Amino acid sequence: MDIRSLACFIAVAEELHFRRAAERVFLSQPAFSARVRALEDEVGVALLERDRRHVALTSAGLAFLEPARAAVRHAAEARSAAQRAARGDTGRLRLGFSVVAFHGALPQMLNEFRGRHPGVALELVEMNSPSQELALAAGEIDLAVLHPPLDTPGLSTQALPGEPLVLALPSAHPLARRRTVKLRDLHGVPLLVAPRSVGPHVYDRLIGAFLQAGVTPHIVQEATPMTTLIGLVAAGAGVGFVAGSVAAAGRAGVAFRPVSPAAPELPVALAWREGRLPPAGQLLLALAKASKAGKRLASS
């Protein structure tokens, strides 16, 4: 029992005239009449009484009319729902993000995305970069804002502006009086760092910058996320590097300063499983590429 035949029956039931009903559904009258007859054969009863001058619903046809209307309506709703989902206007999008990303322009971009696609349910999960890679590979999230280079095969990426790193130090520290802190002046200063496992690329570049400046870093504690590291700085446990967007939020008792030579930049990217980004994720990816919020995702 196809929807097109049901639509033909509804048209003739409402018009009570075969020619007008056929024109309404854009069929020739012979093709239209054949569909109605085939529908009656399938149902097993006469739905219409007709002769050359008269068309009327039988009692069976009257009983059939409302369920037929409901079936056509539901079919249209189903088609529309499928088309919206295929466009990415409905459904679910699971997004992983790092602490750094959520201190930038990501919230603004997600607000813009929600405004454009209110039918998409956004599920947001905060986790560090290596955990996001594993979650993508396992299909637990659809899209991630993380920090390359990546170690997990089968992931595609879209680079975003990198995040500058600045030095967080207690406001009372003598070096806080300087506009720019030289790396060589951190000789012997207790240093707080994120574990290498969280970001080996940046960790190695940061240690390399110290060594190039002739300083062996005095690492006293590992801390993650960056907000925790800042709390330890406020408590006087040492100094450490944090993303500029995290520093922009400020913290009582903590000063943030650039260093010379400049600290390595924290790379940022969107990542997803190759060939497995759902339509809603494709829309968010396009927004990140095109919008001002996306261009400032890591630099705000």
Side-chain angles (χ1 to χ4, degrees):
M1 192 175 298
D2 66 276
I3 297 301
R4 182 72 161 151
S5 295
L6 291 176
C8 290
F9 167 73
I10 293 168
V12 73
E14 293 175 350
E15 297 289 343
L16 296 179
H17 193 284
F18 268 74
R19 179 180 57 78
R20 290 197 301 268
E23 291 173 351
R24 175 169 147 180
V25 296
F26 306 104
L27 283 177
S28 67
Q29 189 167 334
F32 181 89
S33 298
R35 279 190 172 272
V36 173
R37 283 195 301 272
L39 178 65
E40 288 180 310
D41 290 342
E42 186 174 358
V43 175
V45 297
L47 301 175
L48 297 164
E49 295 175 350
R50 64 269 211 186
D51 55 33
R52 292 184 178 275
R53 298 183 179 181
H54 173 77
V55 178
L57 286 170
T58 64
S59 58
L62 185 61
F64 190 74
L65 180 57
E66 284 307 315
R69 284 172 172 156
V72 171
R73 183 173 64 253
H74 292 157
E77 291 170 354
R79 180 170 56 248
S80 177
Q83 291 171 346
R84 292 197 305 273
R87 291 194 302 267
D89 290 332
T90 61
R92 179 182 63 162
L93 180 62
R94 301 165 298 172
L95 176 69
F97 64 93
S98 68
V99 168
V100 173
F102 227 65
H103 276 79
L106 181 61
Q108 176 186 342
M109 187 176 71
L110 293 181
N111 271 333
E112 184 176 352
F113 180 83
R114 290 181 193 276
R116 294 186 183 189
H117 309 287
V120 176
L122 277 174
E123 296 182 7
L124 306 176
V125 185
E126 186 272 317
M127 59 181 77
N128 63 37
S129 191
S131 297
Q132 289 190 71
E133 289 188 49
L134 295 176
L136 282 171
E140 295 169 356
I141 58 175
D142 304 306
L143 190 62
V145 185
L146 41 61
H147 309 292
L150 308 185
D151 296 323
T152 305
L155 300 182
S156 299
T157 60
Q158 170 63 47
L160 296 168
E163 178 80 28
L165 293 180
V166 297
L167 183 68
L169 63 167
S171 299
H173 197 286
L175 293 176
R177 293 194 291 269
R178 302 183 183 182
R179 289 187 176 182
T180 301
V181 176
K182 296 184 182 300
L183 279 180
R184 66 171 180 261
D185 294 331
L186 296 178
H187 177 74
V189 175
L191 182 66
L192 310 170
V193 296
R196 187 179 184 277
S197 59
V198 172
H201 177 72
V202 173
Y203 181 97
D204 291 345
R205 290 184 62 198
L206 185 60
I207 299 303
F210 272 96
L211 297 177
Q212 207 166 28
V215 177
T216 300
H218 177 41
I219 299 173
V220 296
Q221 186 172 345
E222 294 184 339
T224 188
M226 288 182 178
T227 48
T228 298
L229 190 150
I230 292 174
L232 291 171
V233 171
V239 304
F241 286 89
V242 299
S245 61
V246 178
R251 173 69 185 257
V254 179
F256 301 95
R257 299 289 183 267
V259 297
S260 178
E265 190 175 72
L266 180 65
V268 182
L270 284 164
W272 61 95
R273 283 189 296 170
E274 292 176 0
R276 300 296 297 272
L277 186 61
Q282 295 171 23
L283 292 175
L284 183 57
L285 177 62
L287 179 60
K289 291 179 181 179
S291 71
K292 292 180 179 179
K295 294 174 183 177
R296 298 196 316 272
L297 183 60
S299 58
S300 293

